Amino acid sequence: MDLWFTENHTKNVRFSIKVDKHLHSERSEFQRIDVFKSYEFGNFLTLDGLMMVTERDEFAYHEMIVHPAMAVNPEIKNILVIGAGDGGTVRELCHYTSIQKIDLVEIDKRVVEVCKMYLPQTACKLDDNRVEIFYEDGLKFVRKKQDFYDLIIVDSTDPFGPGEGLFTKEFYGNCYNALTQKGILINQHESPFYEPDKQSMILSHKRISSVFPVHEVYQFHMPTYPSGHWLFGFAGKYFHPIKNFNEEYWNSLNIKTRYYNTDIHKGAFALPTYVKDLLSTNQE
Ligand code: SAM
């Protein structure tokens, strides 16, 4: 008998992965957590039936959520990561010896525990001595901080369930206040292709643009996410991702990557016309 994981990308489109073993299943206080072993994508984590991380393509997501900001401001030392319980974002940050402190705020302790058990590829740096984990709601955590972080990375689930508050204008305003004078906010910015990801993308951009003077969006290819075309936001008080891009500095670090490089950095901010049009629509 064949076993398949299937996610509905729309009412009319499905994405399926053939599964070797269903390794783990539980309902935590916040969401349903599953881990599967697959032939094509290695082990993968789903939350409430939605794809989060696969061993095969996580490098694209985690390199692209971390390195563009780090290549713009070499002075980043103190970082807040919200969500990201799988650990992949923290793993990429740990390449930088210049970073002094990483606060990881994950609402669901069980995600971290399950990933440590089944996804060591991403969870491998969660015990780095610069990392402190807070099991709290990121929305509430960020309210308590003022002028504190050089970089905030929002590596969240989609805007429903526990992740809903992380897409609100109030949250982006609180991130602005929690950032230092030259602070940068990177956020999971959904996708331009299918509904409702498209509407979430438009709304996030509108809200971020009303808070941050610099508000750019960049793209990358993510085979297991709906449509494979995904976006991150780069918002800043001061730095612009292209005008302040420090290509020489980043190349001098010799960080080993598989997706990110300095050509990708420049290209990723060039968006297709239909995406630019969507981002310039005035909808709230
Ligand atoms: N790369 C993934 C994606 O975009 O689909 C996200 C990965 S990560 C596993 C997302 C994490 O955000 C989850 O572990 C979830 O528990 C956490 N999360 C959701 N809402 C949160 C909140 N309000 N505060 C902190 N963490 C939250």
Side-chain angles (χ1 to χ4, degrees):
M1 189 185 69
D2 283 351
L3 191 59
W4 291 79
F5 163 82
T6 295
E7 180 178 331
N8 291 340
H9 283 182
T10 76
K11 270 193 309 202
N12 309 306
V13 178
R14 286 178 175 170
F15 175 76
S16 294
I17 298 179
K18 192 171 175 185
V19 165
D20 182 11
K21 268 198 193 107
H22 194 168
L23 296 172
H24 183 85
S25 190
E26 70 175 79
R27 183 162 286 283
S28 73
E29 189 187 339
F30 300 99
Q31 54 212 338
R32 181 180 163 160
I33 304 173
D34 288 280
V35 183
F36 301 88
K37 181 180 178 203
S38 72
Y39 299 96
E40 192 69 42
F41 287 95
N43 288 0
F44 66 90
L45 168 79
T46 66
L47 295 178
D48 287 335
L50 300 178
M51 177 60 78
M52 291 292 130
V53 181
T54 86
E55 285 181 322
R56 172 90 183 268
D57 66 356
E58 60 82 14
F59 69 99
Y61 185 96
H62 294 122
E63 290 180 16
M64 287 301 279
I65 205 170
V66 165
H67 300 304
M70 294 305 298
V72 161
N73 180 12
E75 302 296 318
I76 290 172
K77 292 187 167 44
N78 193 19
I79 300 176
L80 171 63
V81 179
I82 297 176
D86 55 83
T89 296
V90 165
R91 180 197 64 204
E92 289 306 307
L93 287 169
C94 283
H95 286 299
Y96 295 86
T97 51
S98 54
I99 291 176
Q100 292 171 352
K101 183 84 202 304
I102 303 166
D103 289 344
L104 173 67
V105 181
E106 162 61 63
I107 203 166
D108 194 343
K109 189 174 190 180
R110 287 300 298 151
V111 172
V112 172
E113 289 169 347
V114 167
C115 290
K116 279 186 170 174
M117 184 161 300
Y118 296 107
L119 285 168
Q121 178 177 312
T122 53
C124 56
K125 291 287 178 185
L126 287 173
D127 295 326
D128 187 284
N129 57 19
R130 293 169 292 175
V131 178
E132 187 171 355
I133 306 184
F134 300 84
Y135 294 109
E136 287 180 41
D137 185 341
L139 187 66
K140 293 188 185 145
F141 185 92
V142 83
R143 278 188 200 136
K144 299 181 277 190
K145 302 285 178 182
Q146 298 282 323
D147 189 18
F148 194 72
Y149 294 107
D150 305 313
L151 170 64
I152 298 178
I153 298 180
V154 188
D155 181 356
S156 63
T157 43
D158 295 327
F160 34 82
E164 193 173 350
L166 304 180
F167 288 78
T168 57
K169 190 168 170 192
E170 186 223 340
F171 173 69
Y172 297 131
N174 289 331
C175 287
Y176 184 94
N177 294 334
L179 285 165
T180 48
Q181 262 189 346
K182 295 185 178 177
I184 295 171
L185 170 73
I186 301 291
N187 70 304
Q188 201 273 92
H189 213 297
E190 301 287 306
S191 166
F193 200 74
Y194 293 130
E195 305 282 353
D197 307 326
K198 184 168 100 182
Q199 291 310 324
S200 307
M201 174 204 80
I202 292 170
L203 265 185
S204 292
H205 186 65
K206 185 153 178 52
R207 290 170 180 170
I208 289 173
S209 308
S210 72
V211 174
F212 285 87
V214 177
H215 43 265
E216 299 294 326
V217 170
Y218 61 103
Q219 61 182 1
F220 62 105
H221 176 227
M222 196 60 195
T224 53
Y225 284 5
S227 85
H229 184 190
W230 215 259
L231 306 171
F232 288 130
F234 181 116
K237 296 186 176 184
Y238 175 84
F239 288 110
H240 185 276
I242 299 296
K243 291 180 200 148
N244 301 107
F245 178 34
N246 202 332
E247 190 169 356
E248 263 177 45
Y249 156 75
W250 195 82
N251 280 326
S252 75
L253 297 174
N254 283 318
I255 294 173
K256 193 168 165 15
T257 51
R258 291 177 62 209
Y259 191 98
Y260 179 83
N261 57 50
T262 52
D263 290 333
I264 281 282
H265 183 119
K266 288 178 265 183
F269 288 88
L271 298 174
T273 304
Y274 87 97
V275 181
K276 285 187 182 185
D277 288 347
L278 287 171
L279 291 173
S280 62
T281 52
N282 266 341
Q283 228 173 304
E284 166 113 71

